Every structure is written in C-alpha cells, then in structure tokens.
C-alpha cells in the first residue's frame, strides 16, 4: 500500500461505518438474520453475524460462506496464473462491512454524497445478490455445491473496491470475478449506480469463477470471448429466475427473457444488448480484433437469445431448458483451457442431444441457433446408416474429394465423439458395429486439426449383447439417498435416472461391478433404471423396467386467497427456503384427477382468471423447467 492510499483510508476511517468495520469478526460470532436498504431504496434480507465482543453486526453469510468487504481491488481482471498475493497492488480486504444493528439503513436521511452511505448501500446489494446467485446455482437444475469452484475452501469474498486497479483510471462501471473473489468497483455517476445493484452483472462475474474452475482459462482471443458470452447468458438467466424487484407482474406471468445486461444499474439504459450484439456471425468476428472479448461474446449470447425467443427456422424453447443445456456444456468435462467458440457450440449441441434427444425441439433449436451465428459449420449432407448382421454402412452425399471423419461415442454418455476412421475419395464406409448402443457421426476434416469438427446428427445402432437386468428394486432410502438391487448377467452395470413424466433422456449416475448401488435422487419424482454396460460405459442391454422414487421438499405454508373478484382470484403463500420458482395447481371439485398446473411464478403471490365451476387450488415449488419439487400445499377452494 502506498502512502496516498493510506491517507485516503485514514480519511474514510474517520467517517463512521467504515471505522466500525476494521475489526474482523472473531470466533464466537452468532449467525443472525438481518436486512438493509440497497441502492434502489428497496429493503433486502441479509444473512449476517453478530459479534458479542464488539456488539457489531457483520455482512457475513455463514450458510453460503459469503463475506462482503470494503477495500481496494488488486486487478481489474482475474488471471488464474497470477496468485492473488502477487498482484500489484494486491486486493486489500480492509474490513467486513458492519453496522451497529442488523438493519443496515445508515444515514438514509442524511447526505447522499457521503461515500460511506453509498458504500453501505452497495454492500447491501452485493451481499444480497451474491447470496441469491449462490442459491440459484445450488438448486435445481444445477445442484452446484458451493465448494465446486466459486467459494471453494475459504468462501466467496465480495469486495466493494475504492481503488483504481493497476492504477488505471476507471471511467465506467466495472466488476471482475474469479473462483473466490468477486470485485465491484465503486464507480458511479449521475447515470449509473455502483455495479453491485445488478444481479445479472454479479451473476456474470460469478460465472467467470465457475468457468475458471471448469478449466476455461481467461486468456486468448476466443477463450476470453467465450468466457464473456457464457457469463452473459448465465447473468441473464439468473436475473430472470431470481429477480423480483424489477420484474414483478401482478398476474403472476413472467417477463420475456431480456438480453439487456446491466439495466438495473443504469437509471436509464444498459451496458449491452446481449441478444442483439454488434457481432452477429463468426465470419465477421474473425475479421476483427477483440481484446476484451466483449465483441465475440455476442455470438454466444445471440445464440441463447435465438433459442429463447425463436428466429427463422429456430424453435423457441423454455428458458429453463436453455439453462440446462448451457450448464451441461460447461460442467464436468467438455471445457479445456483453450476451448474455442466453435467447440463450445458443438458441446452445447451434444448436451441438448444428451438431455432431450436428437430429434427433440431442444436439439433442433440449439443446432439452428448456433448455426445462425456461424459457429456450427456444415456437416456432410444426407448422412445415413444401414446395417446388415452387425456390419454397418455409413453413407453421405458430398463430393468424394472431401476428407470425412467417422466418429463414434457410447449413446447417452457425456464424452466427445471419438474419431475412428478418416476417409477420402468415397462417400461411404463399412465397418463392424461396436458392441452395445453407439452413436455414429460424420464430419468434414478439411482443417489440419480434427479438434473441432461439426458433427452430423447422430445415427444410432444397437448391438445388444446382454439380456435386460431384472427385478430392480429399492432396498433402502434415507432422504435423497437410495439403494438399489437387481439381477442380471454382465460384468458391469450402470444406473440411470430421469425426471418422471418428461421425455428427457436417462442420465447415467454411476457404475458398479456388483448388483447393488447407492445413489442420490433429486427432489421431485424420478424414474431409475439399470443396464449392463461395457468398460467405457457403452450400454450393452436394454434399460430395465423403471423404479419410481419420490422425495419432496416441504410444501409452501400459509397458502391463502387474499382477494377474489368476479373475474380473478389472488393467492399468496410463504416462500420456501432456496426455492427459485412456484406453480399454482387446480383440481376440479368432485374429481380425483391429478392437479393441473395453472401458472408458474418466481414470486410468492399470483393472480389468475376465474373459470366456471368450483375448483381446489394448491401451490408447490417447481424447478426451472416446471417439474414439481415439493409436496402440494394445503387446499384453497373457490
Ligand atoms: Zn466478464
């Protein structure tokens, strides 16, 4: 720390709240609920601790391991190659924000130009928003443990920074994120709040941490653009599914997914339009310099926008499905340190196939959207597979001059297709089918490298070698943990799960050489099945008959009709901890039909039109795709 910095802090330290914050919370802190007023003037719930030694309340969330600091930033961009301690200047966490009560409303009526007031409001926004973001990723459909990446080990430090990182003046809102550290620069002016007011921009920074953990390095033109693009997509989705303050619709309906980044920090405006970026195709992108990644990132977010809102020959799909497809493409396996934009497009497509199947709307939407932005290149036309006694012939319709690769992967597994043969001078290829159920692909190999081919749609061939396992049964269950047993012939078995009542594909959960396995289910209703598999996970038998397991969160409480007119009826209920979304259900009086979903909402109230007849209403927690996660609430009848 240089002299001028010390001096400026001395000045701030004399001003009140910051002085209180230099005592770090000590052992013996007590977790307490609190609240505070953010920059928008809205009161927000906060998880805090009380320190009995100094009688102060600190912005430390011990449940999700998040602590919000005042200090100065060490870097305007994280770089995992540079340890935090060697940054010059290194981040300075001067102190955890604190206050004399657990309601942070300091100086609300006093001088608005006092920086301490502003810092406290910015800290309330940061602490509240980052807590919501961690919960968002912790729950369905991501189930991301806070320890997996962001917040690993020591937790997440959120820093409201007052310095100019690397002594470069900052003239606009700026944040930065890595595994354990989200930095928010205190920049603000007459048009814009301090960046922590933006749930989407904080989720964007948080996503940088997830990507860093998954192995995607923030370095190199395309990788930086990919980082920024994926961060924007999750910023948009997190804001959509979490925010209530700015998108509350009285009738319980949701806003359309909006691609404007940072609209909550500007009084009138936004940072960028991620669904309508300046850069619209990969061909244009390749002609430009893009040091910040904020040009090329538009290709990724534009593809997501096309999937959400539809486009020419691009079917619109549910936003929760976009979240799952993008999350599966970044989670556990595909990303390397220098994954390119085109490679990511292939991974998104493989994920959509794995989750929803090759012919699904979700697959078609993903493929068309990434093709529209030029990230999925052409694959050989009219690809077909013919089988004769486990000898398979693959044909396609292209000039025989092109070099074509034949790829194969075990159906239903999360691996990249493997090149098994390279052919030139022909448009057909005959080979012995692999044992089990495999997906075959063709792709042009006109690049010197085969790292990033654009795969054709898969053709599946089933060479079943084992009989179907029988007698699958659940032998014990403890909460989400379930143990299964079955009979069957084979050396290795795999257990699979899918959400009941959906057309989703089965997801492999684990493998064993015995005929018994312990696995976790998820909240809601799931179907389990087993099959014999090979050493690489190729399924060798048909799926066994399913066993259905149900495990529900507690139902929302205090479900009531708060007002009723001749045309509509308004319900409210208490929120369920960690729930992102609710659905209202209706049953016709005198029937035994299962409840029918009327509407979904992220709020704890909704207004629906009345329908003729007498109905019973209930509410439940649902996931981002509308699958029920909790028991039904008590009944309200109209
Ligand atoms: Zn970024």
């Amino acid at each position: 720390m240089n002299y001028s910095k010390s001096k400026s802090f001395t000045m701030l330290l004399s001003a009140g709240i910051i002085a209180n914050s230099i005592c770090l919370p000590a052992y013996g802190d007590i977790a307490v609920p609190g609240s505070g007023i953010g920059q928008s003037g809205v009161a927000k719930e906060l998880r805090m601790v009380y320190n009995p030694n100094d009688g102060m309340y600190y912005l430390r969330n011990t449940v999700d391991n998040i602590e919000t600091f005042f200090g100065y930033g060490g870097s305007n961009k994280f770089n995992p190659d540079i340890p935090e301690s060697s940054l010059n200047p290194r981040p300075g966490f001067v102190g955890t924000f604190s206050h004399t009560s657990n309601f942070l409303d300091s100086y609300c009526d006093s001088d608005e130009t006092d920086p301490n007031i502003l810092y406290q409001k910015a800290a309330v926004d940061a602490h509240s928003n980052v807590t919501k973001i961690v919960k968002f990723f912790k729950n369905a459909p991501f189930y991301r443990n806070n320890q997996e990446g962001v917040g690993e080990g020591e937790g997440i430090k959120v820093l409201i920074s007052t310095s100019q990182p690397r002594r470069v003046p900052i003239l606009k809102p700026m944040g930065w994120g890595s595994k354990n550290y989200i930095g928010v620069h205190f920049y603000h002016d007459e048009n814009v709040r301090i960046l922590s007011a933006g749930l989407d921009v904080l989720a964007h920074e948080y996503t940088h941490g997830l990507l860093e953990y998954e192995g995607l390095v923030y370095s190199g033109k395309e990788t930086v653009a990919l980082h920024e693009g994926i961060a924007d997509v999750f910023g948009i989705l997190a804001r959509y599914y979490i925010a209530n303050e700015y998108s509350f619709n009285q009738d319980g309906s949701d806003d359309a997914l909006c691609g404007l980044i940072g609209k909550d920090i500007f009084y009138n405006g936004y940072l960028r339009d991620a669904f309508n970026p300046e850069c619209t195709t990969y061909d244009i992108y390749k002609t430009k310099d893009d040091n910040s990644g904020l040009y090329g990132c538009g290709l990724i977010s534009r593809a997501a926008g096309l999937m959400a809102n539809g486009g020419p020959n691009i079917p619109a799909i549910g936003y929760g499905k976009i979240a799952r497809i993008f999350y599966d493409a970044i989670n556990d396996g595909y990303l390397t340190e220098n994954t390119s934009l085109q490679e990511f497009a292939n991974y998104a497509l493989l994920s959509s196939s794995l989750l929803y199947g090759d012919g699904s709307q979700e697959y078609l939407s993903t493929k068309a959207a990434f093709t529209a932005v030029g990230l999925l290149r052409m694959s050989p036309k009219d690809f077909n597979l013919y089988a004769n006694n486990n000898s398979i012939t693959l044909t396609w319709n292209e000039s025989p001059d092109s070099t074509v690769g034949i790829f194969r992967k075990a159906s239903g597994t999360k691996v990249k297709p493997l090149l098994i043969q390279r052919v030139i001078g022909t448009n057909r290829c005959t080979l012995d089918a692999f044992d089990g159920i495999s997906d075959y692909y063709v792709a042009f190999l006109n690049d010197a490298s085969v790292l990033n081919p654009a795969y054709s749609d898969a053709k599946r061939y089933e060479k079943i070698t084992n009989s179907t396992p029988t007698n699958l049964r659940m032998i014990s269950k403890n909460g989400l943990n379930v143990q299964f047993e079955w009979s069957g012939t084979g050396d290795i078995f795999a257990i699979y799960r899918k959400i009941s009542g959906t057309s989703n594909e089965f997801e492999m959960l684990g493998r064993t050489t015995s005929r018994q396995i312990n696995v976790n289910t998820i909240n809601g209703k799931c179907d389990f099945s087993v099959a014999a598999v090979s050493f690489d996970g190729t399924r060798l038998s048909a799926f066994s008959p399913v066993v259905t397991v149900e495990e529900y969160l507690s139902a929302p409480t205090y479900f009531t009709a708060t007002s009723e007119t001749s045309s509509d009826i308004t319900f409210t209920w208490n929120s369920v901890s960690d729930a992102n979304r609710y659905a209202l259900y209706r049953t016709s009086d005198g029937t035994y039909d299962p409840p029918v979903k009327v509407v979904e909402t992220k709020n704890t109230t909704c207004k629906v039109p009345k329908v003729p007849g007498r109905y019973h209403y209930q509410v439940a927690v649902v996931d981002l795709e509308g699958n029920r996660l909790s028991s039904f609430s008590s009944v309200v009848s109209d």
Side-chain angles (χ1 to χ4, degrees):
M1 185 187 289
N2 63 32
Y3 175 72
S4 66
K5 275 211 176 64
S6 304
K7 193 177 167 193
S8 71
F9 276 99
T10 307
M11 186 185 75
L12 286 165
L13 288 171
S14 64
I17 171 180
I18 304 304
N20 294 332
S21 72
I22 56 168
C23 304
L24 283 168
Y27 182 76
D29 290 342
I30 301 158
V32 290
S35 60
I37 304 289
Q39 294 173 79
S40 65
V42 175
K44 299 178 170 192
E45 288 176 20
L46 300 168
R47 284 178 170 158
M48 308 176 71
V49 294
Y50 171 67
N51 183 325
N53 297 320
D54 62 9
M56 298 295 289
Y57 293 83
Y58 291 84
L59 282 185
R60 189 148 71 90
N61 170 347
T62 55
V63 177
D64 306 302
N65 211 2
I66 301 163
E67 191 157 4
T68 300
F69 290 82
F70 168 81
Y72 50 96
S75 173
N76 59 355
K77 284 210 181 68
F78 72 85
N79 179 344
D81 297 333
I82 303 175
E84 187 179 282
S85 58
S86 70
L87 292 171
N88 181 22
R90 63 177 294 190
F93 298 99
V94 171
T96 310
F97 276 93
S98 68
H99 194 50
T100 51
S101 87
N102 59 342
F103 182 55
L104 276 74
D105 65 338
S106 294
Y107 319 110
C108 265
D109 303 322
S110 57
D111 181 7
E112 288 284 329
T113 60
D114 181 339
N116 291 307
I117 299 170
L118 205 54
Y119 296 156
Q120 189 188 58
K121 289 179 175 178
V124 166
D125 286 336
H127 200 66
S128 160
N129 281 335
V130 173
T131 296
K132 289 174 182 173
I133 291 161
V134 167
K135 278 165 67 174
F136 176 69
F137 281 101
K138 198 166 98 183
N139 288 297
F142 312 111
Y143 300 106
R144 192 173 190 92
N145 184 326
N146 198 11
Q147 301 308 311
E148 291 174 316
V150 181
E152 193 172 21
E154 58 192 297
I156 303 173
K157 292 175 179 171
V158 187
L159 179 69
I160 306 294
S161 164
T162 60
S163 71
Q164 311 290 12
R166 297 181 190 280
R167 299 184 181 81
V168 179
I170 285 182
L171 303 172
K172 58 181 182 182
M174 183 167 264
W176 47 97
S178 68
K179 280 186 201 173
N180 304 113
Y181 171 36
I182 294 174
V184 172
H185 191 256
F186 80 127
Y187 181 87
H188 58 95
D189 61 30
E190 67 278 13
N191 299 315
V192 64
R193 300 180 170 104
I194 293 176
L195 185 138
S196 60
L199 189 66
D200 55 351
V201 281
L202 287 178
H204 171 114
E205 303 306 344
Y206 182 93
T207 304
H208 280 310
L210 296 188
L211 292 171
E212 185 189 336
Y213 177 83
E214 296 295 345
L216 190 70
V217 172
Y218 196 90
S219 153
K221 181 185 172 189
E222 285 211 14
T223 312
V224 168
L226 183 57
H227 245 276
E228 295 298 343
I230 297 170
D232 269 359
V233 170
F234 281 104
I236 289 163
L237 289 165
R239 180 184 63 208
Y240 178 82
Y241 281 107
I242 299 168
N244 290 326
E245 292 96 326
Y246 303 100
S247 56
F248 180 86
N249 289 347
Q250 193 60 45
D251 64 357
S253 66
D254 286 325
D255 294 339
L257 193 62
C258 167
L260 302 182
I261 301 283
K263 66 182 174 137
D264 296 338
I265 62 171
F266 283 88
Y267 296 106
N268 188 8
Y270 51 87
L271 279 173
R272 56 185 170 272
D273 183 348
F275 288 171
N276 296 292
E278 185 190 343
C279 177
T280 52
T281 70
Y282 187 61
D283 282 343
I284 299 172
Y285 170 77
K286 281 186 292 188
T287 66
K288 302 269 180 158
D289 290 332
D290 182 24
N291 293 329
S292 70
L294 291 178
Y295 182 70
C297 74
L299 295 171
I300 299 295
S301 56
R302 180 168 140 83
L306 289 167
M307 291 162 71
N309 300 320
N313 300 314
I314 306 171
I317 59 171
Y319 310 148
K321 291 178 171 174
I322 297 168
R324 278 192 82 191
I325 290 167
F326 271 74
Y327 188 71
D328 249 50
I330 66 168
N331 183 38
D332 294 343
Y334 291 129
L335 295 182
T336 63
E337 61 182 44
N338 52 9
T339 298
S340 70
L341 292 163
Q342 288 184 307
E343 283 173 303
F344 177 77
N346 273 306
Y347 302 153
L349 189 60
L350 287 171
S351 294
S352 70
S353 156
L354 207 51
L355 290 166
Y356 302 106
D358 261 4
S360 63
Q361 286 292 98
E362 294 80 2
Y363 177 85
L364 297 175
S365 178
T366 309
K367 183 170 189 177
F370 279 98
T371 302
V373 297
L375 288 177
L376 283 177
R377 293 173 301 172
M378 296 296 292
S379 55
K381 285 197 292 284
D382 304 331
F383 175 46
N384 259 308
L385 181 152
Y386 305 95
N388 182 10
N389 273 341
N390 291 330
S391 161
I392 56 173
T393 299
L394 309 172
T395 65
W396 55 94
N397 187 12
E398 291 292 345
S399 152
D401 296 338
S402 21
T403 308
V404 168
I406 312 292
F407 293 79
R408 176 259 170 194
K409 84 178 190 71
S411 298
T413 60
K414 189 170 179 176
V415 292
K416 297 172 201 175
L418 203 67
L419 180 66
I420 51 174
Q421 213 165 111
R422 180 193 297 256
V423 296
I424 185 165
T426 176
N427 46 23
R428 65 167 45 224
C429 173
T430 298
L431 52 133
D432 289 337
F434 284 71
D435 279 354
I437 299 166
S438 297
D439 291 338
Y440 296 88
Y441 306 78
V442 285
F444 289 122
L445 297 182
N446 45 5
D447 288 345
S449 130
V450 296
L451 287 175
N452 181 30
Y455 306 110
S456 62
D457 291 346
K459 294 291 175 192
R460 186 162 296 184
Y461 184 70
E462 306 196 355
K463 183 180 171 188
I464 300 285
T465 57
N466 288 47
S467 56
T468 309
T470 56
N471 199 20
L472 175 66
R473 59 210 179 269
M474 181 168 66
I475 54 172
S476 73
K477 177 171 180 300
N478 183 8
L480 292 174
N481 187 260
V482 279
Q483 192 173 22
F484 292 99
E485 216 173 65
W486 59 91
S487 312
T489 52
D491 297 328
I492 310 172
F493 295 89
I495 186 140
Y496 301 82
R497 182 185 70 202
K498 80 190 235 352
I499 298 171
S500 302
T502 66
S503 57
N504 296 359
E505 301 281 309
F506 273 112
E507 173 192 1
M508 189 195 290
L509 295 182
R511 282 183 252 175
T512 176
T513 52
S514 78
R515 280 156 189 73
Q516 200 182 76
I517 198 165
N518 236 310
V519 287
N520 280 338
T521 188
I522 52 178
N523 286 122
K525 187 175 178 181
C526 291
D527 296 336
F528 287 83
S529 176
V530 285
V533 296
S534 71
F535 68 94
D536 73 347
T538 306
R539 187 157 55 85
L540 300 174
S541 76
F543 287 118
S544 74
V546 303
V547 169
T548 300
V549 177
E550 295 180 74
E551 175 69 29
Y552 292 106
L553 295 169
S554 300
T557 53
Y558 295 99
F559 177 57
T560 49
T562 50
S563 79
E564 187 172 352
T565 69
S566 56
S567 59
D568 50 49
I569 178 165
T570 302
F571 298 96
T572 64
W573 55 91
N574 276 11
S575 65
V576 171
S577 174
D578 292 348
N580 286 320
R581 205 165 174 80
Y582 303 90
L584 181 75
Y585 295 82
R586 180 163 59 202
T587 331
S588 184
D589 186 40
T591 69
Y592 293 97
D593 297 338
V596 174
K597 193 186 293 174
V598 183
V599 70
E600 289 181 27
T601 176
K602 52 189 174 256
N603 301 311
T604 52
T605 178
C606 71
K607 182 161 90 175
V608 293
K610 288 186 77 164
V611 286
R614 186 151 192 273
Y615 288 91
H616 307 293
Y617 291 89
Q618 288 168 292
V619 71
V621 179
V622 294
D623 70 13
L624 306 191
E625 296 179 73
N627 303 302
R628 184 165 62 93
L629 300 179
S630 80
S631 305
F632 288 112
S633 69
S634 55
V635 173
V636 170
S637 301
D638 70 355

